[in-house]
Amino acid sequence: MAEAGVSAAETVGDTEREEGEVSEEQSPGWSESQLRSYPFKTRQIPRLPHGDPRAEELIDNEEPVVLTDTNLVHTALKWDLNYLEENIGNGDFSVYAANAHKFLYYDEKKMVNFKNYKPISRREEMKFPEFAKKLRDIQQRESDERLYLQQTLNDTVGRKIVVDFLGFNWNWINRQQSKHGWGQLTSNLLLIGMEGNVTPAHYDEQQNFFAQIKGYKRCILFPPEQFECLYPYPVHHPCDRQSQVNFENPDYERFPNFKNVVGYETVVGPGDVLYIPMYWWHHIESLLDGGITITVNFWYKGAPTPKRIEYPLKAHQKVAIMRNIEKMLGEALGNPQEVGPLLNTMIKGRYN
Ligand SMILES: O=C(O)CCC(=O)C(=O)O
């Protein structure tokens, strides 16, 4: 059977693309030279109008698709640094700062488990005008420092932002939520990135409609079937759910299956909405020399587990089981550091 993601993608006539090869289907507004290069193949994620039955089929099957005409965030397409500075209010914003382009997510609560872990970016809380000033200053000085604002929208936002938010196409997205039996909308993350910023590959345990507002982002996705190629950090590590593989210089000795990874990719621009299915890995980069990017995502809890489980289990269900086993072992042993040695004892000479 074809891997998840391959079957429906094939039905819409996408093409397989070798590294560096130019794809025929391109949104205007960006060029191939703005993409970083990686040593693996990708196929294009289909771009479809939301009313196209193939788009619905992809979402039903939990496969990615770019929807080109949802009008989901049409009231936000005017957002830029100046407008947000004037209207976003006096709340605190989490801003990550780094001296390199990668912003590897880390869970601060898990840092007690791995005391030697040193994050490559640091979080600072600041008001929006301070962020805007820092950003303009870095751009002017042509400094290597980079910022990435990542803040859940909350009730501190100003009146105009509330009006824009209420004008989102809630009709369409609420229908999607109920049609697929998803749980509640848990949050809308606002992301404001600098050109060239990279969020390395990771998966989330939520459904995501990723709405692009300003600038272009390249999104490379991998289905949950490729877990073995992507080598996530241990569950108790601050970088839980993130791949350990450095895509720009993979260590094939440590991560040999990375040679077999095959991605699905797209470039999203203003008005596009990418469906990132739960448990799908995603690597996201703001295009090189593309100016700032603004995105708002819509994270939903997945549908509840069905009462009667069907076998064989799907890849994402196996990922959930593996996560639970790691968590339970950490708790039972009273020390997350003992999980690895115990798992090794269990399999060595018995299951391998
Ligand atoms: O846009 C980004 O850089 C990361 C966003 C992301 O990982 C998400 O929406 O799940």
Side-chain angles (χ1 to χ4, degrees):
M1 202 183 86
E3 281 182 347
V6 175
S7 52
E10 277 171 349
T11 63
V12 293
D14 63 333
T15 48
E16 194 169 289
R17 190 150 72 85
E18 300 284 346
E19 188 203 347
E21 199 179 305
V22 179
S23 109
E24 279 170 30
E25 191 202 331
Q26 254 182 27
S27 324
W30 59 276
S31 75
E32 202 79 17
S33 64
Q34 293 176 273
L35 310 181
R36 295 180 184 275
S37 43
Y38 301 111
F40 51 81
K41 286 185 189 173
T42 61
R43 291 163 162 245
Q44 291 295 306
I45 295 173
R47 288 178 62 83
L48 295 167
H50 73 284
D52 189 313
R54 289 170 299 176
E56 281 300 318
E57 194 187 321
L58 286 162
I59 303 174
D60 285 347
N61 293 342
E62 301 197 43
E63 295 178 46
V65 57
V66 180
L67 304 164
T68 52
D69 64 347
T70 61
N71 281 331
L72 178 58
V73 291
H74 65 118
T75 46
L77 296 182
K78 59 180 175 287
W79 290 6
D80 62 15
L81 224 45
N82 291 333
Y83 180 87
L84 292 175
E85 194 171 6
E86 253 168 57
N87 298 300
I88 205 153
N90 197 31
D92 286 322
F93 289 82
S94 291
V95 175
Y96 293 86
N99 292 322
H101 56 276
K102 282 194 222 163
F103 288 81
L104 181 68
Y105 173 80
Y106 56 96
D107 180 344
E108 291 171 33
K109 294 188 289 299
K110 293 188 178 178
M111 283 172 64
V112 289
N113 299 334
F114 286 76
K115 299 234 163 50
N116 295 332
Y117 170 71
K118 295 266 173 304
I120 49 175
S121 61
R122 56 194 182 278
R123 180 175 60 83
E124 285 179 43
E125 295 297 300
M126 61 185 79
K127 306 292 177 195
F128 199 90
E130 189 185 344
F131 163 69
K133 183 174 177 307
K134 279 197 166 165
L135 191 83
R136 291 191 187 106
D137 194 51
I138 291 171
Q139 285 169 335
Q140 218 164 34
R141 283 187 290 119
E142 293 183 24
S143 151
D144 285 342
E145 198 189 345
R146 287 170 178 276
L147 303 178
Y148 208 159
L149 180 147
Q150 303 191 4
Q151 176 62 48
T152 300
L153 290 174
N154 58 36
D155 59 8
T156 64
V157 300
R159 194 180 51 82
K160 279 195 173 174
I161 303 293
V162 172
V163 172
D164 295 340
F165 186 81
L166 294 175
F168 288 178
N169 190 352
W170 293 105
N171 265 341
W172 174 77
I173 205 163
N174 290 344
R175 251 183 291 128
Q176 287 295 321
Q177 176 191 20
S178 58
K179 181 167 178 235
H180 301 294
W182 295 349
Q184 72 192 71
L185 172 68
T186 59
S187 53
N188 292 102
L189 187 69
L190 169 68
L191 299 122
I192 306 183
M194 293 175 69
E195 61 86 21
N197 281 7
V198 171
T199 298
H202 64 282
Y203 65 88
D204 296 311
E205 296 178 280
Q206 303 206 68
Q207 304 284 4
N208 187 352
F209 279 119
F210 182 86
Q212 190 58 13
I213 289 173
K214 186 173 170 55
Y216 291 85
K217 275 181 167 173
R218 180 201 204 177
C219 308
I220 309 179
L221 274 57
F222 306 93
E225 281 76 2
Q226 294 189 27
F227 185 94
E228 282 168 63
C229 304
L230 287 155
Y231 302 91
Y233 284 87
V235 163
H236 298 282
H237 191 280
C239 298
D240 173 27
R241 298 184 288 101
Q242 321 292 307
S243 173
Q244 297 178 88
V245 183
N246 173 1
F247 279 22
E248 288 156 46
N249 185 18
D251 180 343
Y252 292 115
E253 264 178 34
R254 278 185 74 197
F255 309 120
N257 292 341
F258 188 69
K259 285 203 181 109
N260 303 325
V261 86
V262 180
Y264 293 82
E265 76 165 291
T266 190
V267 173
V268 288
D272 289 340
V273 174
L274 169 64
Y275 168 51
I276 307 179
M278 192 157 109
Y279 291 109
W280 275 64
W281 297 82
H282 43 290
H283 155 113
I284 297 184
E285 58 189 53
S286 295
L287 297 202
L288 295 163
D289 297 320
I292 69 158
T293 57
I294 305 182
T295 314
V296 169
N297 76 12
F298 294 71
W299 264 319
Y300 287 89
K301 281 198 186 305
T305 319
K307 287 224 170 63
R308 190 170 334 122
I309 310 266
E310 280 182 32
Y311 296 96
L313 293 179
K314 299 204 173 91
H316 71 81
Q317 293 173 310
K318 290 185 186 167
V319 173
I321 291 172
M322 287 190 280
R323 294 186 61 80
N324 284 336
I325 290 172
E326 276 188 73
K327 281 188 211 164
M328 280 182 334
L329 284 180
E331 275 160 33
L333 294 163
N335 178 4
Q337 302 287 346
E338 288 188 41
V339 172
L342 190 97
L343 285 171
N344 272 319
T345 308
M346 278 175 67
I347 63 163
K348 269 190 185 153
R350 302 179 65 220
Y351 287 98
N352 64 349

